[in-house]
């Protein structure tokens, strides 16, 4: 599923610098090797030199560099309508904004749908519902009061709450008090927005949001942890945000936030081994295979490496080809190169 607007629509959007399309597609300029948002203020390239991409990642993988003017990797530049919707949901998660409401405000629901799927891995409606439920869940878990929590959150009845819960999580809230949920936060970084997930035990997910199939990946995590996923934060996510910022500022080399990475014994072995590769160093897939005691299983090791769900913290980017070439990277090779360069530069900046 590519999920980009039709070609003529993208052309028009770019021509008008239509902010409603920001984040929905990117365009590479063949003559300069640079890729932009549809709203880039720079002079328009000739149409025949333009190549369209569904995600920033796709443009990166194709070898384009991000434009310095429109900064296509930055999260802060979201379209004004998205900012407004998110703020409204934050202020009052009990709010219900329907497709009809969106239309009345002059916002195309299919644009909203594409944007939220792309950036948050879920539709706007699913996002709002999950955000609303996350507040209820927290309240129930902290205070153990289902009735009050349901009432406070704007659900008119228990059955309404149960229905909403089941629609979001595919199950009933019967054991909500005792169960864990995966909290999701979106963080910005010099390499573009990241989605982070955490259970009560620790960080279980960190991915670039433009990674192909984010939606499918979130579904896989939900299944793996058998836990509802809700936008929100917890202590681990707050710590992660601080540690990541220090990492990117080269003020710190290590992460101390706890990690949770269930998998097959083999996968866990590989991921555990990745954690032992020191900052600034590299290993080949062959070395990694030897380290886990399966010297012939180079491909399987490579696959497990690629299935790492906690980018950067479980440093799969430190594994490269034997010949020194970068090999693969889920987030695109430019990001892998950036991380290796960041770690390579001698000395740390003063904190
Ligand atoms: Zn640009």
């Amino acid at each position: 599923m590519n999920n980009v607007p039709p070609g003529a629509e993208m052309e028009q959007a770019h021509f008008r610098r239509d902010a409603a399309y920001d984040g929905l597609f990117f365009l590479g300029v063949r003559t300069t090797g640079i890729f932009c948002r549809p709203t880039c203020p720079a002079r328009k390239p000739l149409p025949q030199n333009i190549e369209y991409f569904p995600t920033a990642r796709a443009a990166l993988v194709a070898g384009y560099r991000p434009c310095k003017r429109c900064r296509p990797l930055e999260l802060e530049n979201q379209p004004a309508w998205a900012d407004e919707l998110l703020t409204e949901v934050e202020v009052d998660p009990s709010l219900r904004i329907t497709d009809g409401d969106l239309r009345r405000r002059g916002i195309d629901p299919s644009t909203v749908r594409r944007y939220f799927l792309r950036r948050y891995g879920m539709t706007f409606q699913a996002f709002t519902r999950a955000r609303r439920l996350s507040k209820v869940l927290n309240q129930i878990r902290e205070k153990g009061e289902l009735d009050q929590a349901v009432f406070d959150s704007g659900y008119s009845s228990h059955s309404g709450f149960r229905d909403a819960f089941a629609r979001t999580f595919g199950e009933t809230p019967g054991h909500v008090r005792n169960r864990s949920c995966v909290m999701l936060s979106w963080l910005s970084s010099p390499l573009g927005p990241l989605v982070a997930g955490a259970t009560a035990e620790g960080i279980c997910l960190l991915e670039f949001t433009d990674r192909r199939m984010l939606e499918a990946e979130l579904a896989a995590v939900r299944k793996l942890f058998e836990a509802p996923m809700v936008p929100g934060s917890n202590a681990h996510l707050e710590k992660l945000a601080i540690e990541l910022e220090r990492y990117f500022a080269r003020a710190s080399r290590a992460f101390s936030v706890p990690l949770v990475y269930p998998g097959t014994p083999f996968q866990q072995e590989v991921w555990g081994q990745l954690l032992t590769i020191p900052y600034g160093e590299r290993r080949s897939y062959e070395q990694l295979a030897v380290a886990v005691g399966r010297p012939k299983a180079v491909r399987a090791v490579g696959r497990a490496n690629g299935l790492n769900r906690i980018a950067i913290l479980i440093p799969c980017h430190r594994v490269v080809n034997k010949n020194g070439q970068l090999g693969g990277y889920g987030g695109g090779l430019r990001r892998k190169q950036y991380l290796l360069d960041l770690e390579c530069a001698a000395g740390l900046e003063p904190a």
Side-chain angles (χ1 to χ4, degrees):
M1 187 182 66
N2 228 1
N3 222 0
V4 290
E9 196 178 329
M10 292 195 286
E11 215 168 291
Q12 270 300 310
H14 178 220
F15 182 74
R16 297 191 311 262
R17 297 194 172 102
D18 189 339
Y21 287 81
D22 209 6
L24 287 186
F25 72 89
F26 297 85
L27 48 110
V29 185
R30 291 195 186 92
T31 42
T32 58
I34 284 171
F35 76 100
C36 288
R37 299 168 181 278
T39 50
C40 185
R43 210 158 60 92
K44 300 249 181 278
L46 293 172
Q48 63 265 35
N49 293 330
I50 295 179
E51 190 178 355
Y52 293 100
F53 296 99
T55 62
R57 176 187 175 278
L60 286 170
V61 168
Y64 286 95
R65 283 169 293 120
C67 168
K68 290 209 165 81
R69 291 190 66 183
C70 63
R71 301 164 184 245
L73 288 174
E74 282 177 19
L75 181 63
E76 287 71 17
N77 263 333
Q78 46 188 359
W81 58 259
D83 268 343
E84 280 162 27
L85 289 177
L86 287 167
T87 309
E88 280 180 56
V89 171
E90 264 329 289
V91 170
D92 180 8
S94 67
L95 212 62
R96 276 142 231 248
I97 303 172
T98 63
D99 280 1
D101 297 331
L102 292 173
R103 273 189 218 101
R104 273 188 289 281
R105 297 170 183 210
I107 310 170
D108 176 11
S110 69
T111 301
V112 176
R113 184 187 162 74
R114 285 198 204 104
Y115 183 84
F116 272 81
L117 277 175
R118 171 77 32 77
R119 176 149 289 172
Y120 297 101
M122 55 186 104
T123 63
F124 173 61
Q125 270 71 19
F127 183 95
T128 326
R129 213 156 45 224
R131 192 71 198 97
R132 188 154 62 226
L133 289 164
S134 111
K135 296 222 160 162
V136 187
L137 281 177
N138 275 341
Q139 206 176 340
I140 295 170
R141 286 149 61 90
E142 278 166 21
K143 300 184 196 148
E145 290 170 356
L146 186 65
D147 292 359
Q148 191 58 34
V150 170
F151 178 75
D152 287 351
S153 63
Y155 289 99
S156 50
S157 66
H158 275 266
S159 64
F161 172 68
R162 258 195 301 277
D163 286 352
F165 193 96
R167 238 177 319 162
T168 299
F169 305 129
E171 56 198 307
T172 55
H175 302 101
V176 63
R177 211 161 304 183
N178 306 317
R179 63 187 309 227
S180 178
C181 63
V182 177
M183 304 298 287
L184 291 176
S185 282
W186 284 263
L187 311 166
S188 55
S189 86
L191 290 177
L194 290 154
V195 58
T199 63
E201 285 74 45
I203 300 297
C204 64
L205 178 76
L206 185 64
E207 282 288 358
F208 294 99
T209 61
D210 56 18
R211 190 168 170 169
R212 236 178 348 182
M213 310 301 288
L214 174 65
E215 207 185 340
E217 187 155 355
L218 292 186
V221 170
R222 175 158 51 222
K223 204 167 156 198
L224 184 68
F225 285 88
E226 294 178 340
M229 297 185 92
V230 288
S233 195
N234 69 15
H236 299 309
L237 288 165
E238 280 158 25
K239 187 165 186 187
L240 174 69
I242 294 166
E243 293 193 341
L244 264 181
E245 206 172 311
R246 289 177 52 80
Y247 168 83
F248 278 113
R250 299 182 60 241
S252 165
R253 299 179 169 207
F255 294 91
S256 65
V257 62
L259 306 179
V260 185
Y261 46 94
T264 65
F266 179 71
Q267 289 170 340
Q268 292 200 314
E269 180 91 30
V270 171
W271 298 334
Q273 202 50 237
L274 291 173
L275 285 167
T276 70
I277 308 175
Y279 181 98
E281 290 188 20
R282 300 175 191 199
R283 297 283 184 274
S284 68
Y285 294 95
E286 286 77 6
Q287 285 172 316
L288 193 58
V290 169
V292 298
R294 302 271 301 275
K296 294 209 173 103
V298 178
R299 269 165 182 269
V301 162
R303 261 197 309 278
N305 197 52
L307 289 173
N308 171 31
R309 285 181 298 267
I310 312 178
I312 304 173
L313 279 70
I314 296 183
C316 57
H317 60 277
R318 293 179 194 152
V319 183
V320 297
N321 285 348
K322 206 163 43 174
N323 61 12
Q325 283 176 350
L326 283 184
Y329 194 58
L333 288 183
R334 189 192 155 269
R335 289 192 171 118
K336 187 171 187 174
Q337 186 69 61
Y338 181 101
L339 294 172
L340 291 170
D341 291 348
L342 176 91
E343 296 181 0
C344 230
L348 289 182
E349 307 291 334

